[in-house]
Amino acid sequence: MGSTGSIGQQSLDVVRQHPDRFIVDILAANNCSELLIKQAKEFKPKVVAIANEKHYTELKDALNGLGIETVAGDKALAETCTRQETDMVVAAIVGFAGLRPVVEGIKAGKHIALANKETLVVAGEWVMQKAKTLNVDIIPVDSEHSAIFQCLEGEKLNPVEKIILTGSGGPFRGMSAEKLKNISPSEALRHPTWSMGPKITVDSASLMNKGLEVIEAKFLFNLDPSQIEVIIHPQSIIHSLVQFTDGSMKAQMGLPDMRLPIQYALSYPQRLSSSFPRFDFAHFPSLTFEKPNMSTFQSLALAYQALRKGGNMPCILNAANEMAVHAFLNHNLPFLHIPRIIEQCMEKIPFVPSPSLSELFETDHLTREFVNSILKT
Ligand code: NDP
Ligand code: MG
């Protein structure tokens, strides 16, 4: 799901390296029909789905006669995840739009390799509960969560004291609020260590990415918010750490390359060989750490607040952030107004303490309408 994006393309790269292990049954994207067609011709899946129906005719005509089924629209795209032949869904659509395919996949008993963190931010309770009931594995692809998942292997009986999520600090690490006032989208899109899609790159610059990851970690590993710490580690070599109740800490390290956590999620519990570049201590004489500045980068503080409040609050935070980031990327909102919009939404949108899945869809919709009304004025 999201095969044309940064994670999607790297997932296909992993498949290319292990053609004996993996078969691509489905490819799905939104707008990049040209790349989707190219991928379909290379991987020959059973079905190709495009969310944006405008591109359907082009897709259908290009794949005509190749024995590949084509479908269009959000609903048909999500339904491809229920097909019998599929074992695992790689959830790599960006934003709230990635939730529905994961929901359908879980209901159909498919294991999930989860890159789309927004899924757990919005509906963490529902997703983890349903997965448990149906014996579905949710295997994290997000590098920090993959690191923690790897550190927890073989530790089933050992209680965790806390986890420490590392973050590079993004391109604006150490900058004052004054300096951040006139940041442009192109400056925010220049990430120092990772190459990713535009939305998550802006989230990394505002530290909202770390905020979303704190919420993601809470649901994945069933922790209290007080057990989740964030530390800035500019070199992005230590991907995260777990501290156990005896005080011992385990970390997972490697060069920043998403193909590694993707491959691990696809082959878990096995490790497959890879030709990805190796870490060399000679190139990194020092690994450094510092506390995040939550008064300048308020989005991280807001995420902790939403997590502590619970209910539909993380869903409100997520929808407001998606809308605000979109407006910022279109030069319609200053960078520092992103947290202001989120804060207003968290105050104004009705709070639901134990939302159902349909109430979460409603919350997302209401929040987006409210942000549109703020942006208009
Ligand atoms: P990209 O923007 O690069 O790719 C997003 C993908 O989602 C594209 O294939 C896009 O299709 C598709 N898409 C977008 N909207 C829809 C929709 N409404 N319906 C169907 N498909 C849609 O994002 P990334 O790959 O960077 O990120 C994907 C997810 O993984 C995000 O949730 C992100 O937080 C998470 N993640 C990413 C990391 C990274 O290194 N990139 C690291 C950790 C997590 P199209 O291109 O055709 O429009
Ligand atoms: Mg991450």
Side-chain angles (χ1 to χ4, degrees):
M1 298 289 110
S3 63
T4 53
S6 160
I7 293 288
Q9 292 185 56
Q10 293 181 85
S11 303
L12 292 176
D13 227 20
V14 169
V15 172
R16 256 184 219 111
Q17 301 217 10
H18 300 281
D20 51 323
R21 286 289 302 245
F22 306 118
I23 295 172
V24 178
D25 287 323
I26 315 163
L27 288 171
N30 191 27
N31 278 315
C32 295
S33 43
E34 211 175 301
L35 178 56
L36 186 62
I37 291 165
K38 203 168 151 230
Q39 292 176 337
K41 288 184 173 165
E42 180 184 350
F43 290 95
K44 302 184 177 57
K46 298 200 177 59
V47 55
V48 177
I50 190 131
N52 188 339
E53 297 181 26
K54 268 202 316 215
H55 301 290
Y56 182 59
T57 312
E58 183 195 347
L59 180 73
K60 195 168 152 247
D61 292 350
L63 300 181
N64 189 22
L66 298 178
I68 301 172
E69 194 185 331
T70 49
V71 299
D74 294 343
K75 212 164 160 257
L77 183 146
E79 272 167 13
T80 61
C81 296
T82 65
R83 295 187 161 230
Q84 223 171 7
E85 59 269 19
T86 303
D87 306 307
M88 179 174 243
V89 172
V90 180
I93 289 176
V94 61
F96 184 86
L99 174 61
R100 204 186 285 273
V102 173
V103 166
E104 293 304 325
I106 294 176
K107 282 199 216 156
K110 312 297 179 191
H111 298 306
I112 310 286
L114 187 73
N116 176 274
K117 59 193 86 189
E118 294 91 345
T119 285
L120 286 183
V121 171
V122 170
E125 200 94 43
W126 188 94
V127 165
M128 295 312 288
Q129 191 83 43
K130 197 78 175 172
K132 196 172 167 192
T133 315
L134 297 178
N135 259 327
V136 161
D137 291 340
I138 308 284
I139 310 196
V141 165
D142 211 349
S143 57
E144 297 76 3
H145 305 73
S146 173
I148 289 162
F149 190 80
Q150 293 180 53
C151 291
L152 290 174
E153 271 299 287
E155 302 280 3
K156 277 206 169 59
L157 299 175
N158 298 322
V160 168
E161 194 162 275
K162 66 176 182 187
I163 63 167
I164 302 169
L165 298 176
T166 54
S168 70
F172 308 139
R173 181 174 63 88
M175 275 196 193
S176 64
E178 189 55 35
K179 277 208 156 158
L180 291 174
K181 263 188 187 161
N182 299 316
I183 286 301
S184 70
S186 61
E187 289 169 295
L189 288 174
R190 245 176 266 137
H191 196 278
T193 51
W194 294 97
S195 159
M196 310 178 285
K199 190 257 178 185
I200 181 175
T201 307
V202 174
D203 284 347
S204 299
S206 68
L207 291 200
M208 177 52 96
N209 183 47
K210 222 36 61 181
L212 299 178
E213 289 182 354
V214 168
I215 303 175
E216 181 186 12
K218 184 241 146 35
F219 292 111
L220 264 177
F221 304 114
N222 193 20
L223 299 166
D224 187 79
S226 64
Q227 292 175 289
I228 309 170
E229 271 179 28
V230 171
I231 193 92
I232 301 300
H233 167 45
Q235 299 81 17
S236 300
I237 296 298
I238 294 189
H239 298 308
S240 279
L241 309 95
V242 176
Q243 182 175 309
F244 295 93
T245 44
D246 61 355
S248 176
M249 293 176 111
K250 272 168 88 172
Q252 189 264 339
M253 299 172 64
L255 289 176
D257 185 337
M258 284 308 295
R259 289 174 304 175
L260 221 148
I262 293 168
Q263 177 168 300
Y264 186 74
L266 291 181
S267 67
Y268 174 80
Q270 226 186 319
R271 284 184 191 277
L272 301 182
S273 61
S274 89
S275 56
F276 309 147
R278 277 17 183 190
F279 172 76
D280 180 353
F281 277 98
H283 295 132
F284 292 89
S286 63
L287 298 179
T288 59
F289 306 91
E290 60 198 64
K291 284 220 174 283
N293 180 345
M294 288 207 227
S295 58
T296 303
F297 296 92
Q298 291 173 7
S299 292
L300 178 54
L302 288 170
Y304 267 108
Q305 206 177 303
L307 176 58
R308 288 199 186 95
K309 182 85 182 172
N312 64 342
M313 201 52 88
C315 176
I316 297 170
L317 171 104
N318 179 68
N321 180 60
E322 277 188 37
M323 293 293 284
V325 169
H326 185 72
F328 167 69
L329 284 170
N330 288 323
H331 302 265
N332 288 333
L333 190 78
F335 184 70
L336 287 181
H337 285 222
I338 296 173
R340 286 205 211 161
I341 296 253
I342 298 168
E343 206 171 8
Q344 283 185 57
C345 291
M346 287 170 68
E347 276 165 17
K348 290 280 161 52
I349 303 295
F351 177 64
V352 184
S354 307
S356 64
L357 203 52
S358 63
E359 282 170 322
L360 291 168
F361 275 86
E362 177 65 12
T363 297
D364 179 78
H365 178 70
L366 280 178
T367 309
R368 283 166 199 266
E369 280 196 331
F370 182 62
V371 176
N372 271 332
S373 71
I374 303 174
L375 291 173
K376 269 192 203 132
T377 55

